[in-house]
């Protein structure tokens, strides 16, 4: 009989336990969790705080009793594994309720400890009004503090998934919110110009978004009962427990009544280090493709491990639930004699930011530049379904690819409708090894309420294939402000659009439908840099000009990309 011991009872650990039982009725499976809950929906925590998920019980996917009843797994909560003896194949467990310790033997050990929130060494950060969000007790503490302190202002530090979700949750509760982000953008899996759409949405909702700003110091000020009857003044703040005075890197100070630290997470590797297991260069637990650590009887999965990047094959850290669940399943297979290999992580992810969805898969432009990869990119902005059918929203889509082979490096999308659909298709296409040329031939569902005869992805593929084949010469938004004397900027939109939407200074305006008749107004000794609203009319104008002997370039993504890149 195989004895499997699992450390960590959330995504990876719970998936491994359930899979191991489905494969073997004989295996003895013990799962240790140092917290009070297992198999909880940690991705749903901000949505319960904000009120979208009204019942706390909905977050508890399994309990120790339900795990025992359905899977015959011995789940021991409030039990922390504090050390591993590889030679004896035992773990030392502390019962956190009783304070006692004992040894537990294993045939195979699975580590799924997750990732811990990064809390920077900031002066005053340890106070009653500062929280991070990793598990249900963290969530309960935040909800309790909101109920007790009744904050009118909250500050979130960090513009990643948790930070953005907490920002929205606090806004929904009617709490005025400031979001601090050290980088020049939120949501770093997407590139700066795509994050610009999120910046606009965040500010439109009244959030005080401060980019390029760090939290330097925190001072906790407990409240006292304040009443000055003689001055005719009275305050209702007697019920408050205090406020925080924040010092920011831009020299500003900020008074807030709740502080959420969401600057990121780091792999939880203390147990692996104690056991002298190999740690990767990025700081996560090293595993092979079968999720086996440097010890053949110890496996590791989830946010604590370094996994292989699907695009580059290099190690990466991607703390997402999907990869953790798949890795847990495969580790269980391999413990019980199968030979499953993890096929790499694309980092496919999506985040709700008020009315917007922001999603991505694969590598972004920043990563490709850092790694010295030769790439090309295209942008399209087109309707989520047939534009004449009510409810169509613009999907802003970016695709990165190899200009020689057409290999897909990554894709990003932002919009109010249909964003998940497009990025899911791109994730499948990338994993299947499709090229941008092959994306032209994707046959996707079409009816006016659901899609378009030429889908967003088809259109991006058409643009990319034009570039590869030489049918189009492009220019990008970040080059427009650096044109030289041998280039002329041409706006081919209608004059009313310039007035209502905006324009780029210094551009000549000839609407595309007048271009054939007015082409003589353009100099043939200069390169004509064309732009329209989203790039489509610009391409029409480009073909007219080059077919008439002009040298030209088209701004990919048009004025819309240029404008939101500044947001």
């Amino acid at each position: 009989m195989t004895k499997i011991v699992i450390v960590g009872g959330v995504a990876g650990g719970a998936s491994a336990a359930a899979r191991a039982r489905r494969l073997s009725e004989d295996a003895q499976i013990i799962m240790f969790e140092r917290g009070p809950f297992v198999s909880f929906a940690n991705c749903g925590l901000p949505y319960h705080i904000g009120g979208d998920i009204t019942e706390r019980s909905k977050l508890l996917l399994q309990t120790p009793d339900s795990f025992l009843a359905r899977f015959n797994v011995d789940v021991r909560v409030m039990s922390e594994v504090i050390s591993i003896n590889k030679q004896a194949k035992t773990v030392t467990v502390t019962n956190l309720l009783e304070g006692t310790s004992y040894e537990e033997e294993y045939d195979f050990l699975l580590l799924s400890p997750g990732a811990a929130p990064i809390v920077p060494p900031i002066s005053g950060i340890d106070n009653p009004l500062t929280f991070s969000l990793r598990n249900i007790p963290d969530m309960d503490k935040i909800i309790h503090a909101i109920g007790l302190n009744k904050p009118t202002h909250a500050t979130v530090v960090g513009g990643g998934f948790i930070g953005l979700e907490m920002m929205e949750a606090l806004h929904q509760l009617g709490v005025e919110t400031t979001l601090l982000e050290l980088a020049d953008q939120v949501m770093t899996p997407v590139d700066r110009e795509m994050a610009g759409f999120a910046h606009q949405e965040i500010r439109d909702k009244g959030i005080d978004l401060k980019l390029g700003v760090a939290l330097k110091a925190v001072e906790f000020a407990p409240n006292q009962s304040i009443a000055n009857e003689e001055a005719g003044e009275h305050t209702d703040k007697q019920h408050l427990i205090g406020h925080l005075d924040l010092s920011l890197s831009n020299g500003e100070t900020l008074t807030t009544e709740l502080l959420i630290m969401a600057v990121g997470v780091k792999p939880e590797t203390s147990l692996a280090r104690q056991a002298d297991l190999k740690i990767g260069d990025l700081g996560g637990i090293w595993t092979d493709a079968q999720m086996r650590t440097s010890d053949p009887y110890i496996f590791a999965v989830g946010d604590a491990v370094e996994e292989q990047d699907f695009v580059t094959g290099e190690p990466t850290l991607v703390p997402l639930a999907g990869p953790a669940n798949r890795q847990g399943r495969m580790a269980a297979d391999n413990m019980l004699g199968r030979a499953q290999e993890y096929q790499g992580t694309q980092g496919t992810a999506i985040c709700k930011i008020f009315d917007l969805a922001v999603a991505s898969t694969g590598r972004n432009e920043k990563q490709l530049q850092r790694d010295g990869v030769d790439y090309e990119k295209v942008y399209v902005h087109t309707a989520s379904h047939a534009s004449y059918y009510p409810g169509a929203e613009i999907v802003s889509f970016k695709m990165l690819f190899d200009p020689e082979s057409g290999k897909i490096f990554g894709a990003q999308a932002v919009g109010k409708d249909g964003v998940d659909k497009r990025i899911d298709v791109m994730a499948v296409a990338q994993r299947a090894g499709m090229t941008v040329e092959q994306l032209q031939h994707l046959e996707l569902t079409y009816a006016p309420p659901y899609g378009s005869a030429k889908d967003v992805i088809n259109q991006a593929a058409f643009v990319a294939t034009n570039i590869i084949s030489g049918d189009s010469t492009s220019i990008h938004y970040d080059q427009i402000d650096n044109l030289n004397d041998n280039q002329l900027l041409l706006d081919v939109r209608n004059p009313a659009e310039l007035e209502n939407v905006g324009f780029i200074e210094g551009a000549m305006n000839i609407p595309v439908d007048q271009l054939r008749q007015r082409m003589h107004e353009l100099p043939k000794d200069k390169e004509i840099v064309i732009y329209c609203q989203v790039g489509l009319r610009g391409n029409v104008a480009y073909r007219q000009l080059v077919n008439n002997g002009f040298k030209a370039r088209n701004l990919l993504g048009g004025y819309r990309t240029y404008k939101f890149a500044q947001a």
Side-chain angles (χ1 to χ4, degrees):
M1 181 177 69
T2 302
K3 183 176 181 180
I4 297 173
V5 168
I6 298 171
V7 180
V10 193
S15 293
R19 175 64 172 172
R21 177 56 71 222
R22 288 196 296 270
L23 294 179
S24 170
E25 271 298 309
D26 298 328
Q28 182 183 359
I29 307 170
I30 303 173
M31 186 161 67
F32 293 108
E33 170 57 50
R34 64 184 171 191
F37 303 99
V38 293
S39 193
F40 61 88
N42 49 3
C43 296
L45 302 179
Y47 299 106
H48 179 57
I49 294 172
D52 293 306
I53 300 171
T54 55
E55 297 179 45
R56 180 177 178 275
S57 60
K58 296 288 188 184
L59 300 172
L60 303 173
L61 307 179
Q62 295 281 353
T63 66
D65 289 342
S66 69
F67 237 114
L68 181 64
R70 180 168 296 182
F71 297 111
N72 192 24
V73 172
D74 180 3
V75 178
R76 303 179 192 175
V77 295
M78 302 303 292
S79 297
E80 183 173 10
V81 176
I82 59 172
S83 65
I84 302 169
N85 185 328
K86 293 185 296 184
Q87 289 70 35
K89 293 174 75 173
T90 63
V91 294
T92 301
V93 185
T94 295
N95 183 317
L96 298 176
L97 295 177
E98 299 175 359
T100 57
S101 296
Y102 61 95
E103 306 279 304
E104 192 71 54
E105 295 180 340
Y106 64 83
D107 293 315
F108 291 104
L109 176 64
L110 176 70
L111 302 180
S112 182
I118 296 171
V119 180
I122 295 172
S123 171
I125 200 72
D126 185 12
N127 64 72
L129 294 176
T130 297
F131 303 90
S132 58
L133 182 60
R134 183 190 187 191
N135 52 37
I136 285 182
D138 291 342
M139 177 190 76
D140 290 341
K141 289 175 186 174
I142 293 171
I143 292 172
H144 177 72
I146 292 172
L148 181 66
N149 213 29
K150 294 182 171 52
T152 57
H153 185 278
T155 301
V156 178
V157 181
F161 293 101
I162 294 175
L164 291 167
E165 289 161 0
M166 278 304 304
M167 168 199 73
E168 184 170 352
L170 291 163
H171 180 269
Q172 284 183 195
L173 294 173
V175 180
E176 186 182 347
T177 303
T178 294
L179 177 64
L180 305 179
E181 171 53 59
L182 179 59
D184 64 352
Q185 66 167 94
V186 302
M187 190 92 181
T188 53
V190 303
D191 290 310
R192 175 69 170 73
E193 73 279 15
M194 299 299 284
F197 296 98
H199 299 159
Q200 187 71 49
E201 177 76 3
I202 290 167
R203 289 183 167 128
D204 285 349
K205 288 295 190 290
I207 301 296
D208 177 25
L209 174 62
K210 297 181 185 293
L211 298 172
V213 177
L215 176 62
K216 301 293 286 183
V218 181
E219 185 175 344
F220 173 58
N223 274 335
Q224 298 174 350
S225 179
I226 306 170
N228 187 341
E229 301 295 337
E230 291 182 359
E233 296 175 356
H234 182 69
T235 179
D236 61 355
K237 291 187 177 181
Q238 286 93 333
H239 63 281
L240 300 185
I241 60 173
H243 67 270
L244 302 173
D245 294 316
L246 310 182
S247 299
L248 310 183
S249 61
N250 62 358
E252 294 181 22
T253 57
L254 183 66
T255 298
T256 196
E257 292 143 351
L258 184 72
L259 179 61
I260 305 293
M261 297 299 297
V263 297
V265 295
K266 59 183 178 182
E268 178 54 79
T269 59
S270 56
L271 198 56
R273 292 178 186 275
Q274 177 276 321
D276 200 27
L277 298 176
K278 182 179 177 181
I279 304 297
D281 293 338
L282 301 179
I285 302 171
W286 177 91
T287 67
D288 63 14
Q290 294 191 343
M291 308 314 300
R292 193 178 271 106
T293 69
S294 53
D295 183 291
Y297 301 101
I298 303 177
F299 292 73
V301 300
D303 296 355
V305 308
E306 288 185 11
E307 51 225 309
Q308 185 185 63
D309 184 278
F310 179 80
V311 178
T312 66
E314 296 297 316
T316 186
L317 294 170
V318 182
L320 292 172
N325 276 280
R326 296 196 304 279
Q327 291 164 6
R329 175 187 171 92
M330 291 174 184
D333 278 9
N334 295 329
M335 289 178 190
L336 293 169
R338 302 195 175 193
Q340 294 287 336
E341 293 196 351
Y342 186 66
Q343 301 295 316
T345 296
Q346 293 164 273
T348 308
I350 189 166
C351 186
K352 177 182 180 294
I353 304 176
F354 296 111
D355 296 330
L356 280 187
V358 183
S360 63
T361 191
R363 307 295 275 179
N364 60 38
E365 190 171 355
K366 299 184 293 286
Q367 293 167 328
L368 294 172
Q369 289 175 346
R370 182 193 66 201
D371 297 339
V373 177
D374 187 25
Y375 69 93
E376 186 53 88
K377 58 185 176 181
V378 296
Y379 302 90
V380 293
H381 307 277
T382 191
S384 57
H385 60 248
S387 57
Y388 56 80
Y389 187 89
E393 298 283 356
I394 293 177
V395 175
S396 295
F397 184 86
K398 176 180 183 178
M399 182 169 65
L400 298 147
F401 59 95
D402 187 313
E404 297 293 327
S405 68
K407 176 183 177 180
I408 301 164
F409 289 141
Q412 302 163 29
V414 184
K416 295 182 179 181
D417 177 55
V419 166
D420 53 344
K421 168 180 172 179
R422 272 67 189 207
I423 293 301
D424 284 344
V425 170
M426 289 302 300
V428 173
Q430 184 183 57
R431 190 164 286 272
M434 295 181 68
T435 64
V436 294
E437 192 277 334
Q438 290 170 322
L439 287 181
Q440 297 178 105
H441 307 291
L442 284 183
E443 190 172 329
L444 304 173
T445 55
Y446 165 57
Y450 302 109
S452 299
K454 289 187 291 187
D455 188 78
V456 177
I457 291 172
N458 298 126
Q459 293 197 37
F462 296 151
V463 177
T465 305
N466 281 342
I467 291 173
I468 291 175
S469 65
D471 287 338
S472 178
T473 304
S474 62
I475 192 169
H476 291 294
Y477 73 92
D478 51 356
Q479 300 170 287
I480 288 295
D481 291 334
N482 299 305
L483 300 183
N484 58 48
D485 293 339
N486 295 317
Q487 294 172 302
L488 183 144
L489 188 61
L490 176 65
D491 187 331
V492 297
R493 297 174 299 163
N494 296 320
E497 290 178 80
L498 279 67
E499 185 176 337
N500 297 329
V501 181
F503 56 89
I504 302 173
E505 291 287 346
M508 182 178 181
N509 178 225
I510 301 178
V512 66
D513 294 338
Q514 301 175 19
L515 186 58
R516 282 190 179 87
Q517 290 71 43
R518 298 177 59 185
M519 210 172 283
H520 64 275
E521 298 177 25
L522 297 172
K524 277 208 166 181
D525 61 342
K526 290 191 176 185
E527 181 179 69
I528 311 302
V529 177
I530 309 157
Y531 81 93
C532 64
Q533 186 61 21
V534 298
L536 188 60
R537 285 172 291 174
N539 185 58
V540 173
Y542 170 85
R543 293 308 310 170
Q544 287 184 29
L545 289 173
V546 296
N547 288 341
N548 281 278
F550 286 85
K551 185 179 180 183
R553 291 178 182 270
N554 182 31
L555 174 62
L556 292 188
Y559 182 72
R560 181 175 172 85
T561 298
Y562 176 86
K563 173 186 173 184
F564 279 95
Q566 324 296 325

